[in-house]
């Protein structure tokens, strides 16, 4: 099933379920529909920072048209039905558009997870490939420490210098390989962090919009349901055959057929009870969409924060490896420049540098084993359900 068809099917199911709830008179108050102007609604919406939110504007337009519809005479209602239908189509279209955006967010989040998994797996492999070189480097460092013999006053022999040159060469190769892998993985982790931050900002902005919609919706006069209202909506079912509503027994919205809405709209041409049912149906749909959207966005944001923490922890490992590698290479450069100086003072300094480089290398080896222990099972088994109004 394509994404668009899934979204339309979900909206249709929710509309029909909402209509069944109206028929059950599920604890809602009796009908009370004051006339509301679109400008008044938009002005209130602006107080919630929603002046540029297309879904809120479509909702305000529909509410204004619906609440004023009941005050019209029969002939005027018939003339206004196409505009009312179009306002519903527009609102449904905004729902579909936002649900598609939620699907895109979920899919992009899954892409970020796959990028993190791939990054960690590749890094584990590359660092473990460098591990033998590092372990070999520790042997060479021990050889250098022994050759230096800081307690000896003798000059370094030719054999000592050969051992030291070989040790320095092999150490540099091992550390250089590690530094290359660490820098590459760190840079990838930084890029991933940027993508995570952008998605977080996007989701947080959407959460703010949805929370503001909920706050705005709470200010709207309550439209209730009664059994009489539903009776008024269904009393003119035969008129649904009108071509204006897409054929026998259906109302076509956004390419989908909604029989319950067709009955309600035709009822609206007869009396206020019918339009009350229509208003209630769409208001309940809009309210549920906001609360489900808020729940869904917060779920993804929570998981995204977990991914962000995991990536920052991984980045910390890479930073530590890179810092230790730079430290070792810097120490080795100092060592090369001064290794032939046979003074007691420099022999002690060089021996201390060799010992420090050995400690740094062991720290790197320890970090590699820590990286190898990163558990990816939770991320590999990760799955986020696509947004649905009918999911519990």
């Amino acid at each position: 099933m394509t994404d668009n068809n899934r979204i339309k099917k979900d909206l249709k199911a929710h509309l029909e379920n909402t209509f069944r709830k109206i028929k059950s008179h599920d604890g809602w108050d009796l009908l009370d529909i004051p006339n509301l102007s679109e400008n008044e609604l938009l002005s209130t919406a602006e107080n919630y920072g929603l002046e540029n939110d297309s879904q809120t504007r479509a909702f305000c337009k529909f509410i204004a048209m619906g609440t004023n519809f009941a005050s019209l005479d029969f002939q005027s209602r018939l003339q206004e039905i196409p505009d009312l239908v179009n306002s519903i189509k527009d609102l449904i279209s905004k729902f579909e558009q936002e649900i598609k955006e939620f699907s895109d967010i979920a899919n992009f989040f899954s892409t970020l997870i796959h990028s993190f998994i791939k990054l960690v797996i590749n890094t584990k492999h590359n660092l473990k490939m460098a591990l033998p070189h590092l372990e070999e480097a520790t042997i060479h460092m021990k050889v250098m420490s022994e050759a230096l013999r800081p307690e000896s006053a003798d000059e370094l022999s030719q054999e000592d210098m050969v051992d030291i040159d070989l040790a320095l060469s092999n150490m540099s190769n091992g550390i250089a390989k590690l530094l290359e892998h660490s820098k590459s993985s760190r840079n990838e982790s930084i890029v991933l962090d940027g993508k995570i931050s952008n998605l977080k900002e996007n989701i947080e902005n959407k959460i703010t919009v949805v929370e503001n919609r909920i706050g705005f919706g709470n200010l709207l006069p309550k439209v209730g349901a009664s059994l009489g209202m539903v009776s008024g909506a269904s009393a003119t079912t035969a008129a649904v055959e009108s071509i204006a509503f897409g054929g026998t027994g259906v109302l076509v919205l956004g390419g989908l057929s909604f029989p319950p809405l067709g009955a309600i709209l035709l009822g609206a041409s007869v009396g206020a009870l019918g339009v009350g049912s229509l208003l209630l149906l769409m208001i309940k749909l809009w309210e549920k969409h906001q609360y489900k959207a808020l729940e869904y966005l917060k779920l993804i944001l929570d998981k995204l924060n977990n991914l962000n923490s995991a990536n920052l922890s991984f980045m910390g490992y890479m930073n530590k490896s890179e810092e230790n590698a730079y430290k070792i290479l810097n120490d080795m450069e100092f060592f090369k420049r001064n290794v032939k100086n046979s003074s007691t003072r420099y022999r002690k300094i060089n021996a201390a540098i060799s010992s420090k480089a050995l400690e740094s290398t062991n720290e790197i080896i320890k970090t590699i084993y820590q990286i190898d222990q990163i558990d990816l099972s939770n991320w590999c088994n990760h799955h986020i359900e696509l947004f649905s109004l009918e999911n519990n």
Side-chain angles (χ1 to χ4, degrees):
M1 182 184 299
T2 66
D3 208 27
N4 286 339
N5 287 339
R6 179 190 63 78
I7 293 170
K8 290 179 182 294
K9 182 178 180 182
D10 182 55
L11 281 169
K12 179 180 178 182
H14 179 61
L15 282 165
E16 293 174 344
N17 286 344
T18 303
F19 183 71
R20 282 194 290 271
K21 289 181 180 179
I22 292 174
K23 290 205 300 184
S24 71
H25 188 47
D26 190 13
W28 293 323
D29 299 328
L30 294 178
L31 176 65
D32 178 19
I33 312 176
N35 287 347
L36 298 170
S37 87
E38 185 176 352
N39 287 337
E40 288 174 339
L41 289 170
L42 289 175
S43 177
T44 303
E46 187 174 351
N47 294 334
Y48 285 84
L50 297 169
E51 62 272 15
N52 296 319
D53 181 42
S54 61
Q55 186 185 124
T56 301
R57 298 183 71 87
F59 182 65
C60 290
K61 182 176 182 178
F62 165 73
I63 293 296
M65 291 188 68
T67 56
N68 287 278
F69 192 87
S71 64
L72 300 175
D73 59 35
F74 179 79
Q75 186 64 32
S76 297
R77 287 178 196 155
L78 290 177
Q79 293 175 353
E80 290 294 321
I81 283 179
D83 288 339
L84 196 57
V85 170
N86 286 332
S87 73
I88 296 172
K89 285 182 179 180
D90 189 34
L91 186 54
I92 292 290
S93 174
K94 300 303 180 189
F95 288 156
E96 292 177 350
Q97 179 182 333
E98 187 162 78
I99 292 171
K100 178 64 169 60
E101 289 174 4
F102 293 162
S103 295
D104 291 341
I105 286 174
N107 290 332
F108 186 62
F109 178 48
S110 294
T111 299
L112 295 182
I113 290 175
H114 292 315
S115 297
F116 176 69
I117 292 172
K118 181 179 178 181
L119 171 61
V120 175
I121 289 176
N122 287 341
T123 301
K124 284 184 178 185
H125 171 72
N126 290 333
L127 294 185
K128 287 178 77 173
M129 293 291 287
L131 189 58
H133 298 285
L134 295 174
E135 291 174 336
E136 181 182 344
T138 62
I139 297 174
H140 295 303
M141 290 176 191
K142 291 174 183 177
V143 170
M144 285 197 306
S145 296
E146 184 179 335
L148 288 167
R149 296 189 306 277
E151 72 284 352
S152 173
D154 297 334
E155 291 187 7
L156 292 172
S157 67
Q158 187 62 35
E159 184 179 352
D160 289 334
M161 291 303 300
V162 170
D163 287 343
I164 290 172
D165 285 341
L166 179 61
L168 286 172
S169 175
N170 286 320
M171 282 172 57
S172 296
N173 290 337
I175 299 301
K177 288 181 184 295
L178 172 87
L179 183 59
E180 179 184 349
H181 294 317
S182 296
K183 288 176 66 175
S184 175
S185 293
R186 180 180 62 84
N187 289 338
E188 287 186 53
S189 183
I190 290 173
V191 171
L192 179 59
D193 180 68
K195 292 179 179 179
I196 291 173
S197 296
N198 289 338
L199 183 58
K200 279 182 63 178
E201 182 179 359
N202 183 18
I203 293 175
E204 287 167 350
N205 288 339
K206 288 185 180 298
I207 286 176
T208 298
V209 169
V210 173
E211 288 177 335
N212 288 344
R213 287 179 191 161
I214 291 173
F216 167 68
N218 288 336
L219 291 181
L220 293 177
K222 298 301 179 184
V223 179
S226 70
L227 293 177
M229 181 195 304
V230 180
S231 298
S234 57
T236 54
T237 305
V240 182
E241 296 179 4
S242 168
I243 293 176
F245 298 103
T248 303
V250 296
L251 168 66
V252 177
L253 296 177
L256 275 181
S257 301
F258 300 104
L261 273 179
I264 291 174
L265 258 186
L266 266 292
S269 69
V270 177
L273 290 177
V275 76
S277 296
L278 173 61
L279 282 165
L280 179 60
L281 182 69
M282 297 306 293
I283 288 173
K284 291 300 176 183
L285 174 64
W286 191 77
E287 286 179 350
K288 183 173 182 180
H289 176 80
Q290 307 314 320
Y291 283 105
K292 292 292 291 186
L294 186 61
E295 177 186 6
Y296 188 72
L297 290 170
K298 285 186 174 181
L299 172 67
I300 296 183
L301 183 60
D302 181 61
K303 292 180 179 291
L304 188 61
N305 284 331
N306 290 337
L307 178 62
N308 186 50
S309 296
N311 183 54
L312 289 177
S313 176
F314 175 79
M315 192 188 300
Y317 285 133
M318 292 300 96
N319 287 338
K320 189 175 181 181
S321 294
E322 189 175 349
E323 289 162 6
N324 280 324
Y326 269 121
K327 190 187 302 180
I328 294 169
L329 291 177
N330 184 65
D331 287 342
M332 291 303 97
E333 286 299 318
F334 179 89
F335 191 91
K336 287 178 183 178
R337 291 194 301 269
N338 299 287
V339 67
K340 293 183 180 180
N341 192 319
S342 59
S343 73
T344 303
R345 182 179 295 109
Y346 269 102
R347 290 189 85 153
K348 288 181 178 179
I349 290 173
N350 288 333
I353 287 176
S354 180
S355 296
K356 189 167 67 171
L358 178 58
E359 290 177 6
S360 297
T361 305
N362 284 328
E363 279 294 317
I364 292 175
I365 292 173
K366 179 181 176 181
T367 300
I368 291 176
Y369 282 114
Q370 288 173 332
I371 293 171
D372 192 50
Q373 294 302 310
I374 294 177
D375 185 7
L376 294 173
S377 59
N378 288 336
W379 295 113
C380 291
N381 297 326
H382 161 82
H383 176 69
I384 281 199
E385 295 287 341
L386 294 177
F387 178 84
S388 171
L389 284 164
E390 289 305 302
N391 282 345
N392 293 324

